[in-house]
Amino acid sequence: MDPRPSRNAHHSRNTRPSQDAEPTLERLRSDCVRMAPHWVVPPEPAAAPVSPSRIRGVTVPAASARLIGSMPEYGG
């Protein structure tokens, strides 16, 4: 006898058949769409831009600057 509980051991008789189905990406997407209204986040005020002259004390190692500078999408 298998000691593991059956897949339906914790479901009541009132569960929909789709709830017992194997999880799929489509089912996950539909669950997320259904729950999305519950996850509304109030908008935060936009951060004000900081003048470059106020940014002090930031140092970037030369190797990191070369790496970023050599990447075309960052202007190198």
Side-chain angles (χ1 to χ4, degrees), residues 16 24-37 39:
R16 295 179 302 176
T24 64
L25 182 57
E26 188 59 36
R27 183 168 166 213
L28 175 61
R29 290 180 67 217
S30 68
D31 289 346
C32 291
V33 167
R34 191 178 72 250
M35 291 301 297
W39 298 331

Side-chain angles (χ1 to χ4, degrees), residues 3 8 18-19 25 27 30-31 36 39 41 43 46 52 63 65 68 71-72:
N8 297 325
S18 64
Q19 289 177 327
L25 182 57
R27 183 168 166 213
S30 68
D31 289 346
W39 298 331
V41 177
I68 296 300
M71 298 173 83

Side-chain angles (χ1 to χ4, degrees), residues 8 10-20:
N8 297 325
H10 298 290
H11 294 287
S12 71
R13 284 184 282 158
N14 297 329
T15 58
R16 295 179 302 176
S18 64
Q19 289 177 327
D20 293 333

